[in-house]
Amino acid sequence: MNLTQLILLALKVSIVLAVFALGLGARLKDITYLFRHPRQLVRSLLSMYIIMPLVVGAIVAAFNLYPAVEIALIALSLSPIPPILPKKQLKAGGEEDYTFGLLVAMSLLAIVFAPLMIKLLDRAFGRTDKIPPVVVAQIVLSTVLVWLAIGITVRYLLPAFAQRIAKPISVVASVLMLVSLLPILFTARSAIASLIGNGTIIVIVVFVLIGLAAGHLLGGPNPHHRTVLALSTATRHPGVAIAIAHTNFPEQKLALAAILLYLLISGVVTIPYLKSRKSTVVI
């Protein structure tokens, strides 16, 4: 195993540990929340899998972007919530039932909606490629659903033990992720720099801001739900996005760099929103 493979393995392990830690603190009624509240489910689906792909279609039509950036935005608009996001949402005032429910529901729906929406958006490029649902399903299952279920099972069988180990595992996951991402970003720095210009940064900022606005407006009357849906709409699963980009556009080697650039920019752009929600939402 070379250094690159070791770094990628560490990144995958960090995601698994983060989801497992979330599962240790989740309840079954939390993860089924949206399926018991269909109106909120429809609003969430509209925000994440209808509005954002349409926004990307409009952006691609309006701007002469690098092909890798176009592909990255399309892939991101069709990806579910990253498994590390719920921790940030809860800190920002999100409620556990909707936060975990959205993670599970949107991950499941991605298996259906990603292939359907990509078929429509691909026509703008004169392509007929399809995303096999198994591509999305494998990533969602291996990084989210399975480990979330294991964590919930441990919580159910050994609640005291689950409560004791949840925080240490979460800390280890965060440290491991940081250690893994830094070498990846350092290695890809030249590729990322090559994409800066031609409106790339402006477009990514617009994408994130529209995601925040759409989620906030469609989150409903509950301010906690607004916060969670806003962050979820603006921030997507990079693993699924990379798989979508690689499966449909394997010749675009810079798509990974574009997704990494999006992660950096979205992290900065969402800071003011997070601060504003912490000051206005009573936890």
Side-chain angles (χ1 to χ4, degrees):
M1 180 178 293
N2 58 37
L3 181 59
T4 300
Q5 291 174 327
L6 185 60
I7 292 172
L8 292 175
L9 176 61
L11 182 59
K12 291 178 181 178
V13 172
S14 70
I15 293 175
V16 166
L17 289 177
V19 177
F20 178 60
L22 287 173
L24 292 172
R27 299 163 296 183
L28 184 60
K29 71 174 185 176
D30 294 334
I31 65 174
T32 60
Y33 176 83
L34 273 182
F35 296 107
R36 292 183 282 107
H37 296 80
R39 289 185 179 180
Q40 189 69 21
L41 175 61
V42 171
R43 287 197 296 266
S44 303
L45 179 63
L46 178 62
S47 179
M48 292 192 64
Y49 290 136
I50 304 299
I51 289 179
M52 292 313 291
L54 292 177
V55 166
V56 168
I59 288 175
V60 169
F63 293 87
N64 183 26
L65 300 171
Y66 295 118
V69 176
E70 294 179 352
I71 292 166
L73 290 175
I74 291 172
L76 287 163
S77 72
L78 299 171
S79 302
I81 305 169
I84 60 173
L85 187 60
K87 184 178 179 181
K88 180 185 291 187
Q89 294 168 333
L90 291 172
K91 286 184 177 180
E95 295 176 338
E96 288 187 355
D97 50 9
Y98 181 58
T99 300
F100 289 118
L102 189 66
L103 172 66
V104 173
M106 293 303 106
S107 295
L108 288 172
L109 290 173
I111 299 171
V112 176
F113 276 86
L116 291 177
M117 293 302 292
I118 196 69
K119 183 177 181 181
L120 296 177
L121 293 176
D122 273 344
R123 291 179 179 177
F125 299 95
R127 301 177 65 96
T128 59
D129 297 50
K130 297 180 180 179
I131 299 176
V134 68
V135 172
V136 180
Q138 286 177 343
I139 298 173
V140 169
L141 285 171
S142 62
T143 64
V144 181
L145 300 178
V146 169
W147 292 100
L148 193 64
I150 293 174
I152 292 171
T153 301
V154 173
R155 174 191 170 98
Y156 178 77
L157 297 175
L158 302 166
F161 175 71
Q163 184 177 9
R164 188 166 63 251
I165 67 172
K167 186 174 182 178
I169 290 178
S170 179
V171 171
V172 171
S174 299
V175 173
L176 191 59
M177 180 165 294
L178 180 62
V179 172
S180 305
L181 283 176
L182 287 178
I184 294 175
L185 291 172
F186 180 78
T187 303
R189 67 190 187 282
S190 297
I192 292 174
S194 71
L195 295 173
I196 296 176
N198 201 35
T200 296
I201 293 179
I202 295 174
V203 164
I204 294 176
V205 170
V206 169
F207 175 85
V208 175
L209 290 177
I210 292 177
L212 289 173
H216 186 85
L217 293 174
L218 288 170
N222 188 321
H224 301 281
H225 293 179
R226 286 186 169 193
T227 303
V228 171
L229 187 57
L231 291 172
S232 300
T233 305
T235 311
R236 300 309 186 93
H237 195 312
V240 177
I242 291 170
I244 290 173
H246 178 71
T247 300
N248 290 268
F249 308 95
E251 72 282 1
Q252 284 296 338
K253 306 300 182 183
L254 288 176
L256 171 59
I259 292 172
L260 291 174
L261 180 60
Y262 155 80
L263 290 176
L264 293 173
I265 295 174
S266 65
V268 174
V269 174
T270 56
I271 290 174
Y273 180 79
L274 281 168
K275 290 184 176 179
S276 68
R277 298 309 290 166
K278 286 180 181 180
S279 62
T280 58
V281 177
V282 179
I283 301 178

